[in-house]
Amino acid sequence: QKEVEQDPGPLSVPEGAIVSLNCTYSNSAFQYFMWYRQYSRKGPELLMYTYSSGNKEDGRFTAQVDKSSKYISLFIRDSQPSDSATYLCAMSDSWGKFQFGAGTQVVVTP
Amino acid sequence: NAGVTQTPKFQVLKTGQSMTLQCAQDMNHEYMSWYRQDPGMGLRLIHYSVGAGITDQGEVPNGYNVSRSTTEDFPLRLLSAAPSQTSVYFCASSPSRVTGELFFGEGSRLTVL
Protein backbone atom coordinates (compact mmCIF):
# COMPACT_ATOMS: atom_id res chain seq x y z
CA GLN A 1 0.00 0.00 0.00
CA LYS A 2 1.32 3.42 -0.96
CA GLU A 3 1.91 5.94 1.82
CA VAL A 4 0.16 8.63 -0.21
CA GLU A 5 -2.86 7.93 -2.42
CA GLN A 6 -4.01 10.32 -5.13
CA ASP A 7 -6.55 9.74 -7.88
CA PRO A 8 -4.73 10.09 -11.23
CA GLY A 9 -7.75 11.47 -13.09
CA PRO A 10 -8.04 12.95 -15.62
CA LEU A 11 -10.42 15.44 -14.05
CA SER A 12 -12.19 17.51 -16.70
CA VAL A 13 -14.11 20.66 -15.72
CA PRO A 14 -15.59 23.61 -17.63
CA GLU A 15 -13.97 27.02 -17.31
CA GLY A 16 -15.18 28.85 -14.22
CA ALA A 17 -15.95 25.70 -12.23
CA ILE A 18 -14.37 24.76 -8.91
CA VAL A 19 -11.67 22.11 -9.11
CA SER A 20 -11.47 19.83 -6.09
CA LEU A 21 -8.40 17.65 -5.56
CA ASN A 22 -7.47 15.45 -2.64
CA CYS A 23 -4.95 13.00 -1.23
CA THR A 24 -5.04 10.53 1.62
CA TYR A 25 -2.01 9.32 3.54
CA SER A 26 -1.16 6.71 6.11
CA ASN A 27 1.93 8.04 7.93
CA SER A 28 0.88 10.09 10.96
CA ALA A 29 4.42 11.56 11.19
CA PHE A 30 3.81 13.84 8.20
CA GLN A 31 3.68 17.46 9.33
CA TYR A 32 4.33 19.53 6.20
CA PHE A 33 1.86 19.38 3.33
CA MET A 34 2.35 20.75 -0.15
CA TRP A 35 0.72 20.98 -3.53
CA TYR A 36 2.83 21.20 -6.65
CA ARG A 37 1.65 22.08 -10.15
CA GLN A 38 3.36 20.47 -13.14
CA TYR A 39 2.78 21.57 -16.71
CA SER A 40 3.49 19.11 -19.50
CA ARG A 41 7.22 18.48 -19.99
CA LYS A 42 8.13 20.87 -17.17
CA GLY A 43 9.34 20.46 -13.61
CA PRO A 44 6.91 20.68 -10.68
CA GLU A 45 6.50 24.10 -9.06
CA LEU A 46 5.35 24.72 -5.51
CA LEU A 47 1.78 26.01 -5.37
CA MET A 48 0.70 25.78 -1.75
CA TYR A 49 2.46 24.92 1.49
CA THR A 50 0.85 24.28 4.88
CA TYR A 51 2.09 23.14 8.23
CA SER A 52 -0.13 20.86 10.33
CA SER A 53 -3.95 21.02 10.19
CA GLY A 54 -6.03 23.92 8.94
CA ASN A 55 -6.81 25.99 5.86
CA LYS A 56 -4.66 28.27 3.78
CA GLU A 57 -5.87 30.55 1.02
CA ASP A 58 -3.87 32.18 -1.75
CA GLY A 59 -5.88 33.94 -4.42
CA ARG A 60 -8.03 31.35 -6.21
CA PHE A 61 -6.34 28.46 -4.38
CA THR A 62 -7.31 27.00 -1.01
CA ALA A 63 -5.46 24.16 0.69
CA GLN A 64 -6.99 22.18 3.54
CA VAL A 65 -5.32 19.71 5.87
CA ASP A 66 -7.21 17.37 8.20
CA LYS A 67 -4.60 15.40 10.14
CA SER A 68 -7.21 13.50 12.14
CA SER A 69 -8.56 11.99 8.92
CA LYS A 70 -5.17 11.95 7.15
CA TYR A 71 -6.72 13.84 4.26
CA ILE A 72 -5.60 16.93 2.35
CA SER A 73 -7.41 18.92 -0.31
CA LEU A 74 -6.79 21.63 -2.86
CA PHE A 75 -9.57 23.77 -4.29
CA ILE A 76 -9.21 25.99 -7.34
CA ARG A 77 -11.96 28.56 -7.74
CA ASP A 78 -12.96 30.17 -11.04
CA SER A 79 -10.80 27.68 -12.95
CA GLN A 80 -9.07 28.84 -16.13
CA PRO A 81 -7.69 26.87 -19.12
CA SER A 82 -4.24 27.89 -17.86
CA ASP A 83 -4.92 25.77 -14.75
CA SER A 84 -4.78 22.65 -16.94
CA ALA A 85 -1.85 20.71 -15.49
CA THR A 86 -1.00 17.79 -13.25
CA TYR A 87 -1.30 18.54 -9.54
CA LEU A 88 0.91 16.60 -7.14
CA CYS A 89 0.35 16.42 -3.43
CA ALA A 90 3.42 15.98 -1.25
CA MET A 91 4.16 15.68 2.43
CA SER A 92 7.15 15.38 4.70
CA ASP A 93 7.94 14.60 8.31
CA SER A 94 10.19 16.44 10.76
CA TRP A 95 13.18 14.40 9.54
CA GLY A 96 12.73 15.53 5.96
CA LYS A 97 11.30 12.28 4.62
CA PHE A 98 9.26 13.24 1.58
CA GLN A 99 6.47 11.39 -0.15
CA PHE A 100 4.67 12.47 -3.31
CA GLY A 101 1.30 11.42 -4.66
CA ALA A 102 1.15 10.10 -8.22
CA GLY A 103 -0.52 13.32 -9.43
CA THR A 104 -3.98 14.22 -10.75
CA GLN A 105 -4.29 15.47 -14.31
CA VAL A 106 -6.71 18.41 -14.56
CA VAL A 107 -8.19 19.64 -17.82
CA VAL A 108 -10.15 22.92 -17.85
CA THR A 109 -12.15 23.29 -21.05
CA PRO A 110 -13.09 26.75 -22.41
CA ASN B 1 17.31 34.01 -12.41
CA ALA B 2 18.53 30.50 -13.38
CA GLY B 3 17.36 28.49 -10.32
CA VAL B 4 17.99 24.77 -10.91
CA THR B 5 19.58 23.87 -14.25
CA GLN B 6 19.67 20.31 -15.61
CA THR B 7 21.58 18.99 -18.61
CA PRO B 8 21.03 17.27 -20.93
CA LYS B 9 17.28 17.67 -21.51
CA PHE B 10 17.11 14.52 -23.65
CA GLN B 11 19.38 11.48 -23.91
CA VAL B 12 19.20 8.07 -25.57
CA LEU B 13 21.50 5.34 -24.29
CA LYS B 14 22.13 1.72 -25.15
CA THR B 15 21.95 -0.92 -22.44
CA GLY B 16 25.23 -1.04 -20.53
CA GLN B 17 26.37 2.48 -21.34
CA SER B 18 27.14 4.95 -18.57
CA MET B 19 26.40 8.64 -18.38
CA THR B 20 26.09 11.58 -16.00
CA LEU B 21 23.12 13.88 -15.59
CA GLN B 22 24.25 17.32 -14.49
CA CYS B 23 22.45 19.53 -11.96
CA ALA B 24 23.46 23.00 -10.80
CA GLN B 25 21.67 25.53 -8.58
CA ASP B 26 22.52 29.16 -7.93
CA MET B 27 20.37 29.73 -4.83
CA ASN B 28 22.97 28.60 -2.28
CA HIS B 29 20.68 25.79 -1.13
CA GLU B 30 22.20 23.18 1.15
CA TYR B 31 19.73 20.42 0.29
CA MET B 32 19.70 18.84 -3.18
CA SER B 33 18.03 15.71 -4.44
CA TRP B 34 17.35 13.58 -7.50
CA TYR B 35 13.95 12.10 -8.35
CA ARG B 36 12.69 9.93 -11.13
CA GLN B 37 9.14 10.25 -12.42
CA ASP B 38 7.36 7.33 -14.05
CA PRO B 39 3.69 7.12 -15.14
CA GLY B 40 1.43 6.21 -12.21
CA MET B 41 4.35 6.13 -9.77
CA GLY B 42 4.75 9.78 -8.90
CA LEU B 43 8.14 11.16 -7.94
CA ARG B 44 10.52 8.73 -6.27
CA LEU B 45 13.65 9.84 -4.46
CA ILE B 46 16.92 8.37 -5.79
CA HIS B 47 19.64 10.14 -3.76
CA TYR B 48 19.89 13.31 -1.76
CA SER B 49 22.51 15.55 -0.16
CA VAL B 50 22.26 17.85 2.86
CA GLY B 51 25.49 19.67 2.06
CA ALA B 52 28.83 19.48 0.28
CA GLY B 53 30.52 16.13 0.96
CA ILE B 54 27.35 14.51 2.37
CA THR B 55 25.09 12.21 0.35
CA ASP B 56 22.58 9.50 1.22
CA GLN B 57 20.29 7.03 -0.49
CA GLY B 58 16.63 7.57 -1.15
CA GLU B 59 13.88 5.14 -2.07
CA VAL B 60 15.31 3.80 -5.37
CA PRO B 61 19.13 4.20 -5.32
CA ASN B 62 20.22 1.01 -7.13
CA GLY B 63 22.13 1.65 -10.35
CA TYR B 64 22.86 5.30 -9.54
CA ASN B 65 25.75 7.13 -7.91
CA VAL B 66 26.02 10.73 -6.71
CA SER B 67 28.65 13.05 -5.30
CA ARG B 68 28.53 16.59 -3.90
CA SER B 69 31.88 18.34 -4.08
CA THR B 70 30.38 21.87 -4.10
CA THR B 71 27.19 23.48 -2.82
CA GLU B 72 26.13 24.29 -6.39
CA ASP B 73 26.53 20.95 -8.20
CA PHE B 74 24.95 17.54 -7.69
CA PRO B 75 25.56 15.16 -10.63
CA LEU B 76 23.78 11.82 -10.99
CA ARG B 77 25.72 8.95 -12.59
CA LEU B 78 24.16 5.93 -14.25
CA LEU B 79 26.77 3.20 -13.97
CA SER B 80 25.47 0.65 -16.50
CA ALA B 81 22.19 1.76 -18.03
CA ALA B 82 19.24 -0.64 -18.12
CA PRO B 83 15.85 -0.28 -19.87
CA SER B 84 14.23 -0.03 -16.41
CA GLN B 85 16.04 3.30 -16.00
CA THR B 86 14.06 4.85 -18.84
CA SER B 87 12.37 7.74 -17.06
CA VAL B 88 12.24 11.49 -16.56
CA TYR B 89 14.76 12.65 -13.97
CA PHE B 90 14.32 15.77 -11.88
CA CYS B 91 16.87 17.52 -9.74
CA ALA B 92 15.52 19.62 -6.86
CA SER B 93 17.01 21.89 -4.24
CA SER B 94 15.71 23.43 -1.03
CA PRO B 95 16.99 25.85 1.60
CA SER B 96 15.95 23.28 4.21
CA ARG B 97 15.60 19.50 4.11
CA VAL B 98 12.61 19.59 6.41
CA THR B 99 10.26 22.29 5.20
CA GLY B 100 9.60 20.85 1.77
CA GLU B 101 9.87 23.90 -0.43
CA LEU B 102 11.57 22.09 -3.26
CA PHE B 103 12.65 23.96 -6.37
CA PHE B 104 12.79 21.66 -9.39
CA GLY B 105 14.73 21.73 -12.62
CA GLU B 106 13.00 21.22 -15.96
CA GLY B 107 13.88 17.53 -16.13
CA SER B 108 16.07 15.19 -18.16
CA ARG B 109 14.24 12.66 -20.32
CA LEU B 110 16.28 9.45 -20.60
CA THR B 111 15.56 6.50 -22.87
CA VAL B 112 17.57 3.29 -22.55
CA LEU B 113 17.32 0.91 -25.51
Short mmCIF file of all heavy atoms in Angstrom, two decimals, chain A residues 2 32 34 36 38 41-44 46 49 92 94-96 98 100-102, chain B residues 10 35 37 40-43 59 90 97-102 104-106 109:
data_model
loop_
_atom_site.label_atom_id
_atom_site.label_comp_id
_atom_site.label_asym_id
_atom_site.label_seq_id
_atom_site.Cartn_x
_atom_site.Cartn_y
_atom_site.Cartn_z
N LYS A 2 0.55 2.20 -0.88
CA LYS A 2 1.32 3.42 -0.96
C LYS A 2 1.06 4.28 0.27
O LYS A 2 -0.05 4.28 0.82
CB LYS A 2 0.93 4.21 -2.21
CG LYS A 2 1.30 3.53 -3.52
CD LYS A 2 0.87 4.39 -4.70
CE LYS A 2 1.16 3.70 -6.01
NZ LYS A 2 0.66 4.49 -7.16
N TYR A 32 4.31 18.48 7.21
CA TYR A 32 4.33 19.53 6.20
C TYR A 32 3.62 19.02 4.96
O TYR A 32 3.91 17.92 4.50
CB TYR A 32 5.78 19.92 5.86
CG TYR A 32 6.59 20.35 7.06
CD1 TYR A 32 7.30 19.43 7.81
CD2 TYR A 32 6.60 21.67 7.46
CE1 TYR A 32 8.03 19.81 8.92
CE2 TYR A 32 7.34 22.08 8.56
CZ TYR A 32 8.04 21.14 9.28
OH TYR A 32 8.76 21.52 10.38
N MET A 34 2.12 19.89 1.00
CA MET A 34 2.35 20.75 -0.15
C MET A 34 1.52 20.32 -1.34
O MET A 34 1.15 19.14 -1.47
CB MET A 34 3.83 20.70 -0.55
CG MET A 34 4.76 21.27 0.49
SD MET A 34 6.22 20.22 0.73
CE MET A 34 5.62 19.02 1.91
N TYR A 36 2.00 20.76 -5.54
CA TYR A 36 2.83 21.20 -6.65
C TYR A 36 2.00 21.13 -7.93
O TYR A 36 1.18 20.24 -8.12
CB TYR A 36 4.07 20.31 -6.81
CG TYR A 36 5.12 20.53 -5.76
CD1 TYR A 36 5.03 19.95 -4.51
CD2 TYR A 36 6.23 21.34 -6.03
CE1 TYR A 36 6.00 20.16 -3.54
CE2 TYR A 36 7.21 21.55 -5.07
CZ TYR A 36 7.08 20.96 -3.82
OH TYR A 36 8.04 21.18 -2.88
N GLN A 38 2.39 20.86 -12.12
CA GLN A 38 3.36 20.47 -13.14
C GLN A 38 2.70 20.56 -14.52
O GLN A 38 1.79 19.79 -14.83
CB GLN A 38 3.87 19.04 -12.88
CG GLN A 38 4.96 18.61 -13.84
CD GLN A 38 5.51 17.23 -13.52
OE1 GLN A 38 4.87 16.41 -12.85
NE2 GLN A 38 6.73 16.96 -13.98
N ARG A 41 5.79 18.41 -19.64
CA ARG A 41 7.22 18.48 -19.99
C ARG A 41 7.96 19.58 -19.22
O ARG A 41 8.98 20.13 -19.71
CB ARG A 41 7.42 18.63 -21.49
CG ARG A 41 6.90 17.42 -22.25
CD ARG A 41 7.20 17.49 -23.72
NE ARG A 41 6.76 16.25 -24.37
CZ ARG A 41 7.53 15.20 -24.58
NH1 ARG A 41 8.79 15.21 -24.19
NH2 ARG A 41 7.05 14.12 -25.16
N LYS A 42 7.46 19.91 -18.04
CA LYS A 42 8.13 20.87 -17.17
C LYS A 42 8.34 20.25 -15.79
O LYS A 42 7.77 19.20 -15.48
CB LYS A 42 7.28 22.15 -17.02
CG LYS A 42 7.07 22.91 -18.32
CD LYS A 42 8.35 23.56 -18.78
CE LYS A 42 8.11 24.45 -19.99
NZ LYS A 42 9.36 25.08 -20.47
N GLY A 43 9.16 20.92 -14.97
CA GLY A 43 9.34 20.46 -13.61
C GLY A 43 8.20 20.94 -12.71
O GLY A 43 7.55 21.94 -13.01
N PRO A 44 7.95 20.23 -11.61
CA PRO A 44 6.91 20.68 -10.68
C PRO A 44 7.29 22.02 -10.05
O PRO A 44 8.47 22.29 -9.82
CB PRO A 44 6.89 19.57 -9.61
CG PRO A 44 7.54 18.39 -10.25
CD PRO A 44 8.54 18.95 -11.20
N LEU A 46 6.12 24.67 -6.75
CA LEU A 46 5.35 24.72 -5.51
C LEU A 46 4.19 25.70 -5.64
O LEU A 46 4.37 26.86 -6.03
CB LEU A 46 6.26 25.15 -4.35
CG LEU A 46 5.61 25.18 -2.98
CD1 LEU A 46 5.21 23.76 -2.55
CD2 LEU A 46 6.56 25.79 -1.96
N TYR A 49 1.66 25.56 0.44
CA TYR A 49 2.46 24.92 1.49
C TYR A 49 1.76 25.18 2.83
O TYR A 49 1.46 26.32 3.16
CB TYR A 49 3.86 25.53 1.49
CG TYR A 49 4.75 25.12 2.62
CD1 TYR A 49 5.51 23.96 2.52
CD2 TYR A 49 4.84 25.88 3.78
CE1 TYR A 49 6.34 23.57 3.56
CE2 TYR A 49 5.67 25.49 4.82
CZ TYR A 49 6.41 24.35 4.70
OH TYR A 49 7.22 23.96 5.72
N SER A 92 5.88 15.77 4.10
CA SER A 92 7.15 15.38 4.70
C SER A 92 7.02 15.39 6.23
O SER A 92 6.15 16.05 6.79
CB SER A 92 8.28 16.31 4.26
OG SER A 92 8.05 17.63 4.71
N SER A 94 9.22 15.53 10.14
CA SER A 94 10.19 16.44 10.76
C SER A 94 11.63 16.05 10.45
O SER A 94 12.55 16.81 10.71
CB SER A 94 9.97 16.50 12.27
OG SER A 94 10.09 15.21 12.83
N TRP A 95 11.84 14.83 9.92
CA TRP A 95 13.18 14.40 9.54
C TRP A 95 13.47 14.68 8.07
O TRP A 95 14.55 14.35 7.59
CB TRP A 95 13.34 12.90 9.83
CG TRP A 95 13.27 12.60 11.28
CD1 TRP A 95 12.21 12.12 11.98
CD2 TRP A 95 14.30 12.78 12.25
NE1 TRP A 95 12.51 11.99 13.31
CE2 TRP A 95 13.80 12.38 13.50
CE3 TRP A 95 15.63 13.24 12.16
CZ2 TRP A 95 14.56 12.43 14.66
CZ3 TRP A 95 16.38 13.29 13.33
CH2 TRP A 95 15.84 12.89 14.56
N GLY A 96 12.50 15.23 7.35
CA GLY A 96 12.73 15.53 5.96
C GLY A 96 12.41 14.39 5.02
O GLY A 96 12.80 14.42 3.86
N PHE A 98 10.29 12.78 2.50
CA PHE A 98 9.26 13.24 1.58
C PHE A 98 8.49 12.09 0.97
O PHE A 98 9.05 11.02 0.75
CB PHE A 98 9.93 13.94 0.39
CG PHE A 98 10.00 15.40 0.52
CD1 PHE A 98 11.04 15.99 1.21
CD2 PHE A 98 9.03 16.20 -0.04
CE1 PHE A 98 11.11 17.35 1.32
CE2 PHE A 98 9.10 17.56 0.07
CZ PHE A 98 10.14 18.14 0.74
N PHE A 100 5.54 11.81 -2.34
CA PHE A 100 4.67 12.47 -3.31
C PHE A 100 3.53 11.55 -3.70
O PHE A 100 3.68 10.33 -3.76
CB PHE A 100 5.46 12.80 -4.59
CG PHE A 100 6.33 14.00 -4.48
CD1 PHE A 100 7.61 13.91 -3.96
CD2 PHE A 100 5.88 15.23 -4.91
CE1 PHE A 100 8.42 15.03 -3.86
CE2 PHE A 100 6.68 16.36 -4.83
CZ PHE A 100 7.96 16.25 -4.29
N GLY A 101 2.38 12.15 -4.01
CA GLY A 101 1.30 11.42 -4.66
C GLY A 101 1.64 11.24 -6.13
O GLY A 101 2.56 11.87 -6.65
N ALA A 102 0.88 10.39 -6.81
CA ALA A 102 1.15 10.10 -8.22
C ALA A 102 0.72 11.24 -9.14
O ALA A 102 1.15 11.29 -10.28
CB ALA A 102 0.46 8.80 -8.64
N PHE B 10 17.48 15.80 -23.04
CA PHE B 10 17.11 14.52 -23.65
C PHE B 10 18.37 13.69 -23.85
O PHE B 10 19.42 14.22 -24.17
CB PHE B 10 16.42 14.71 -25.01
CG PHE B 10 15.18 15.54 -24.95
CD1 PHE B 10 15.23 16.90 -25.20
CD2 PHE B 10 13.96 14.96 -24.66
CE1 PHE B 10 14.08 17.68 -25.15
CE2 PHE B 10 12.81 15.72 -24.59
CZ PHE B 10 12.87 17.08 -24.84
N TYR B 35 15.15 12.91 -8.27
CA TYR B 35 13.95 12.10 -8.35
C TYR B 35 13.83 11.52 -9.75
O TYR B 35 14.32 12.10 -10.72
CB TYR B 35 12.69 12.95 -8.09
CG TYR B 35 12.49 13.36 -6.65
CD1 TYR B 35 13.09 14.50 -6.14
CD2 TYR B 35 11.68 12.61 -5.81
CE1 TYR B 35 12.90 14.88 -4.82
CE2 TYR B 35 11.48 12.98 -4.49
CZ TYR B 35 12.09 14.12 -4.01
OH TYR B 35 11.90 14.49 -2.70
N GLN B 37 10.60 10.20 -12.30
CA GLN B 37 9.14 10.25 -12.42
C GLN B 37 8.70 9.30 -13.51
O GLN B 37 9.09 9.42 -14.66
CB GLN B 37 8.67 11.67 -12.75
CG GLN B 37 7.15 11.83 -12.72
CD GLN B 37 6.71 13.26 -12.91
OE1 GLN B 37 7.28 14.01 -13.70
NE2 GLN B 37 5.67 13.68 -12.19
N GLY B 40 2.14 6.91 -13.28
CA GLY B 40 1.43 6.21 -12.21
C GLY B 40 2.22 5.99 -10.94
O GLY B 40 1.68 5.47 -9.96
N MET B 41 3.51 6.39 -10.95
CA MET B 41 4.35 6.13 -9.77
C MET B 41 4.67 7.40 -9.00
O MET B 41 5.22 7.35 -7.91
CB MET B 41 5.67 5.49 -10.21
CG MET B 41 5.52 4.21 -10.98
SD MET B 41 4.94 2.88 -9.93
CE MET B 41 6.40 2.54 -8.97
N GLY B 42 4.39 8.53 -9.56
CA GLY B 42 4.75 9.78 -8.90
C GLY B 42 6.26 9.99 -8.92
O GLY B 42 6.99 9.37 -9.69
N LEU B 43 6.72 10.85 -8.06
CA LEU B 43 8.14 11.16 -7.94
C LEU B 43 8.76 10.27 -6.87
O LEU B 43 8.27 10.21 -5.75
CB LEU B 43 8.33 12.63 -7.56
CG LEU B 43 8.02 13.64 -8.66
CD1 LEU B 43 7.76 15.01 -8.06
CD2 LEU B 43 9.19 13.72 -9.63
N GLU B 59 14.75 6.30 -1.93
CA GLU B 59 13.88 5.14 -2.07
C GLU B 59 14.35 4.15 -3.13
O GLU B 59 14.21 2.94 -2.97
CB GLU B 59 12.47 5.64 -2.42
CG GLU B 59 11.38 4.60 -2.55
CD GLU B 59 10.05 5.22 -2.99
OE1 GLU B 59 9.96 6.46 -3.07
OE2 GLU B 59 9.12 4.45 -3.26
N PHE B 90 14.40 14.40 -12.37
CA PHE B 90 14.32 15.77 -11.88
C PHE B 90 15.31 15.97 -10.74
O PHE B 90 15.38 15.16 -9.81
CB PHE B 90 12.91 16.10 -11.38
CG PHE B 90 11.91 16.24 -12.48
CD1 PHE B 90 11.04 15.20 -12.77
CD2 PHE B 90 11.83 17.41 -13.21
CE1 PHE B 90 10.11 15.32 -13.79
CE2 PHE B 90 10.88 17.55 -14.23
CZ PHE B 90 10.04 16.50 -14.51
N ARG B 97 16.05 20.86 4.39
CA ARG B 97 15.60 19.50 4.11
C ARG B 97 14.18 19.27 4.62
O ARG B 97 13.41 18.54 4.02
CB ARG B 97 16.56 18.51 4.78
CG ARG B 97 16.09 17.08 4.66
CD ARG B 97 16.99 16.13 5.41
NE ARG B 97 16.51 14.77 5.30
CZ ARG B 97 17.10 13.73 5.87
NH1 ARG B 97 18.19 13.89 6.57
NH2 ARG B 97 16.59 12.53 5.72
N VAL B 98 13.83 19.93 5.70
CA VAL B 98 12.61 19.59 6.41
C VAL B 98 11.37 20.26 5.84
O VAL B 98 10.32 19.63 5.70
CB VAL B 98 12.75 19.96 7.90
CG1 VAL B 98 11.43 19.74 8.64
CG2 VAL B 98 13.84 19.13 8.54
N THR B 99 11.48 21.53 5.47
CA THR B 99 10.26 22.29 5.20
C THR B 99 9.58 21.98 3.87
O THR B 99 8.43 22.34 3.68
CB THR B 99 10.53 23.79 5.25
OG1 THR B 99 11.55 24.10 4.29
CG2 THR B 99 11.00 24.21 6.63
N GLY B 100 10.29 21.35 2.95
CA GLY B 100 9.60 20.85 1.77
C GLY B 100 9.43 21.81 0.62
O GLY B 100 8.75 21.49 -0.33
N GLU B 101 10.03 22.97 0.69
CA GLU B 101 9.87 23.90 -0.43
C GLU B 101 10.91 23.58 -1.48
O GLU B 101 11.93 24.25 -1.61
CB GLU B 101 10.01 25.33 0.08
CG GLU B 101 8.90 25.70 1.05
CD GLU B 101 8.98 27.13 1.51
OE1 GLU B 101 8.69 28.02 0.71
OE2 GLU B 101 9.37 27.34 2.69
N LEU B 102 10.64 22.54 -2.24
CA LEU B 102 11.57 22.09 -3.26
C LEU B 102 11.45 22.92 -4.52
O LEU B 102 10.33 23.23 -4.96
CB LEU B 102 11.29 20.62 -3.60
CG LEU B 102 11.64 19.58 -2.54
CD1 LEU B 102 11.09 18.22 -2.95
CD2 LEU B 102 13.13 19.49 -2.33
N PHE B 104 12.43 22.69 -8.43
CA PHE B 104 12.79 21.66 -9.39
C PHE B 104 13.40 22.25 -10.66
O PHE B 104 13.07 23.36 -11.08
CB PHE B 104 11.54 20.87 -9.80
CG PHE B 104 11.07 19.89 -8.76
CD1 PHE B 104 10.21 20.29 -7.75
CD2 PHE B 104 11.48 18.57 -8.80
CE1 PHE B 104 9.77 19.40 -6.79
CE2 PHE B 104 11.05 17.66 -7.84
CZ PHE B 104 10.20 18.08 -6.84
N GLY B 105 14.27 21.44 -11.27
CA GLY B 105 14.73 21.73 -12.62
C GLY B 105 13.67 21.32 -13.63
O GLY B 105 12.61 20.82 -13.26
N GLU B 106 13.98 21.50 -14.91
CA GLU B 106 13.00 21.22 -15.96
C GLU B 106 12.96 19.74 -16.36
O GLU B 106 12.10 19.34 -17.12
CB GLU B 106 13.29 22.08 -17.18
CG GLU B 106 13.19 23.57 -16.91
CD GLU B 106 12.16 24.24 -17.80
OE1 GLU B 106 12.18 23.99 -19.03
OE2 GLU B 106 11.35 25.04 -17.29
N ARG B 109 15.00 13.82 -19.84
CA ARG B 109 14.24 12.66 -20.32
C ARG B 109 15.22 11.64 -20.87
O ARG B 109 15.91 11.91 -21.85
CB ARG B 109 13.24 13.11 -21.38
CG ARG B 109 12.22 12.07 -21.79
CD ARG B 109 11.19 12.69 -22.70
NE ARG B 109 10.40 13.70 -22.00
CZ ARG B 109 9.26 13.49 -21.38
NH1 ARG B 109 8.72 12.28 -21.38
NH2 ARG B 109 8.61 14.47 -20.79
#
